[in-house]
Amino acid sequence: MYRTNNYVQKMVLTALFAGMGFVLSSVVWFPNMAPFQHFINVLAAVFVGPYWGFLAALITGSLRMLLGGRTILAIVGAIFGAFLSGFLYKKSGRKLYMAVIGEMIGTGIISALVAYPVMTGLYGMDLQSPFFYIPAFLPSSAMGAFLGVLVLTGLKRAGVLRRMLDKINHQ
């Protein structure tokens, strides 16, 4: 019974994170930057882990691309950071700074490098360098990750974070 409830809770949280990511990224958007997507990636890393976080980022990016008129960068720019953030957070023994590092490396560097062949191949863009997107992706991922840390730190200081995580993970 616990396993089924845990699965359903993570599925519902993933849907909530995807919805929040779509709404926040659609409302607050800067050219080539979506810091609230990265904010959601860090929250998802802590609450649901790397695989569910990846799914939330994929859904959010797909919604942003399909409904918001964004390019495929909305997907490419989110999924690697979401996965790596959750993966490093989990493998480090749940150290929050590793979720931030994972988000910044995953989105700020890996996604930025993957975006180059995607944009040149699919969209025919004439980008000068494979490093073209790093100056936009890295600050956006850092800003969003630190916003996530602020919220999680506030929850921790209020004594709520541990109870929430225990409830989700049935520990």
Side-chain angles (χ1 to χ4, degrees), residues 132-147:
F132 180 82
Y133 287 107
I134 290 176
F137 282 27
L138 194 56
S140 179
S141 64
M143 185 185 332
F146 289 120
L147 285 173

Side-chain angles (χ1 to χ4, degrees), residues 2-166:
Y2 274 134
R3 194 157 183 74
T4 303
N5 286 343
N6 184 281
Y7 180 81
V8 171
Q9 285 177 332
K10 288 191 177 187
M11 189 172 26
V12 169
L13 281 172
T14 299
L16 286 171
F17 285 134
M20 286 173 33
F22 173 70
V23 170
L24 290 172
S25 294
S26 298
V27 173
V28 181
W29 182 80
F30 308 101
N32 295 325
M33 295 178 83
F36 282 104
Q37 173 65 58
H38 313 297
F39 163 74
I40 295 295
N41 286 354
V42 170
L43 294 181
V46 171
F47 286 106
V48 295
Y51 305 107
W52 290 100
F54 172 87
L55 183 60
L58 180 63
I59 293 167
T60 303
S62 299
L63 287 171
R64 288 177 56 223
M65 189 176 100
L66 295 172
L67 301 175
R70 307 284 192 273
T71 66
I72 198 163
L73 285 180
I75 296 172
V76 174
I79 58 175
F80 296 102
F83 179 80
L84 193 57
S85 181
F87 181 78
L88 291 181
Y89 176 74
K90 185 176 179 182
K91 290 296 180 185
S92 69
R94 311 217 180 281
K95 295 192 182 343
L96 190 54
Y97 72 91
M98 291 304 286
V100 171
I101 289 171
E103 177 61 32
M104 290 175 62
I105 291 172
T107 297
I109 297 173
I110 296 171
S111 288
L113 292 174
V114 170
Y116 176 78
V118 169
M119 295 307 282
T120 55
L122 286 178
Y123 291 90
M125 293 181 72
D126 183 25
L127 305 175
Q128 303 302 316
S129 163
F131 305 107
F132 180 82
Y133 287 107
I134 290 176
F137 282 27
L138 194 56
S140 179
S141 64
M143 185 185 332
F146 289 120
L147 285 173
V149 167
L150 288 175
V151 168
L152 291 167
T153 302
L155 290 173
K156 187 175 183 179
R157 286 189 181 160
V160 177
L161 183 61
R162 178 57 34 215
R163 285 185 295 180
M164 291 170 75
L165 292 173
D166 288 347

